[in-house]
């Protein structure tokens, strides 16, 4: 079974960087000195684990950008990337972002399109790899609001419950 969860960056940074090093630096030849950046400590990070082993990661920047989504080679094509993205998208909704943006490697455009992302702009080079900006609008969950004054049509029993919940900060 695969588990994807939000993790504390400081506690898990060695694992996060290990996955990203394997995928980006080793496989894709991204320069090691640009793989870790100033956004890491400011971002929300997710990790995918299978049988206790960390197999994938991704991050959500404070401005709603998703990045550094990586799955180790032996665990690809098993839905782990989708699970990472679903967690990042849910987190972005909970953080109140109206949309998310990412810089997709061109070979992954179809993957992101299946998740509802749309291409925007032209292809560009980033770290020597062709990328394109992709955007996905989000439906932000409605905030729960409480009735300040119960409707007159409520029974006395329900009026009292509503008032008690309102005044108790529920």
């Amino acid at each position: 079974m695969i588990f994807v969860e939000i993790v504390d960056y400081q506690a898990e940074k060695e694992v996060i960087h290990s996955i990203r090093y394997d995928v980006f630096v080793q496989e894709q030849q991204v320069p090691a000195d640009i793989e870790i950046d100033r956004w890491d400590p400011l971002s929300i990070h997710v990790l995918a684990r299978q049988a206790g082993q960390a197999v994938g990661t991704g991050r959500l920047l404070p401005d709603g950008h998703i990045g550094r989504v990586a799955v180790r080679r032996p665990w690809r094509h098993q839905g782990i990337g989708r699970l990472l993205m679903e967690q990042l998208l849910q987190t972005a909704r909970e953080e109140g972002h109206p949309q998310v943006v990412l810089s997709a490697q061109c070979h992954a455009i179809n993957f992101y399109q299946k998740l509802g992302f749309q291409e925007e702009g032209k292809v560009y080079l980033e770290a020597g790899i062709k990328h394109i900006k992709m955007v996905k609008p989000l439906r932000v969950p409605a905030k729960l609001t409480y009735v300040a004054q119960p409707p007159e049509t409520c029974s006395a029993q329900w009026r009292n419950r509503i008032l008690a919940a309102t005044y108790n900060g529920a």
Side-chain angles (χ1 to χ4, degrees):
M1 176 147 287
I2 300 162
F3 293 97
V4 176
E5 62 183 342
I6 296 172
V7 297
D8 177 79
Y9 173 71
Q10 292 302 322
E12 300 284 356
K13 71 180 177 181
E14 287 183 31
V15 174
I16 290 167
H17 291 257
S18 172
I19 294 168
R20 290 175 16 191
Y21 185 85
D22 288 352
V23 173
F24 299 124
V25 178
Q26 292 286 313
E27 290 181 33
Q28 298 180 352
Q29 306 301 304
V30 170
D33 61 333
I34 67 168
E35 202 292 303
I36 299 171
D37 62 20
R38 66 184 178 94
W39 293 109
D40 277 327
L42 305 172
S43 298
I44 297 171
H45 294 264
V46 296
L47 267 179
R49 289 187 171 94
Q50 187 173 35
Q53 184 174 4
V55 298
T57 189
R59 72 181 186 184
L60 175 67
L61 279 69
D63 66 356
H65 277 74
I66 290 176
R68 302 299 200 274
V69 177
V71 176
R72 284 190 166 127
R73 186 179 300 244
W75 290 277
R76 292 185 193 148
H77 307 291
Q78 297 179 34
I80 296 170
R82 181 182 48 79
L83 293 173
L84 288 165
M85 287 299 298
E86 287 172 357
Q87 180 64 62
L88 289 165
L89 291 168
Q90 180 60 35
T91 302
R93 283 185 198 92
E94 291 168 2
E95 292 289 312
H97 294 290
Q99 70 174 12
V100 289
V101 179
L102 55 80
S103 182
Q105 293 184 6
C106 288
H107 72 85
I109 290 171
N110 189 46
F111 169 76
Y112 292 115
Q113 285 174 334
K114 288 179 183 176
L115 292 167
F117 284 83
Q118 296 179 349
E119 299 167 56
E120 192 172 283
K122 296 183 179 193
V123 172
Y124 54 91
L125 283 180
E126 187 174 305
I129 301 168
K130 289 183 180 181
H131 285 73
I132 191 161
K133 178 180 178 181
M134 296 188 81
V135 178
K136 177 182 172 89
L138 298 177
R139 275 199 227 140
V140 178
K143 295 194 178 195
L144 184 60
T145 56
Y146 294 93
V147 178
Q149 279 297 330
E152 295 303 320
T153 56
C154 286
S155 70
Q157 177 185 12
W158 281 105
R159 280 178 58 82
N160 290 339
R161 285 184 182 176
I162 292 169
L163 286 171
T166 303
Y167 294 124
N168 290 329

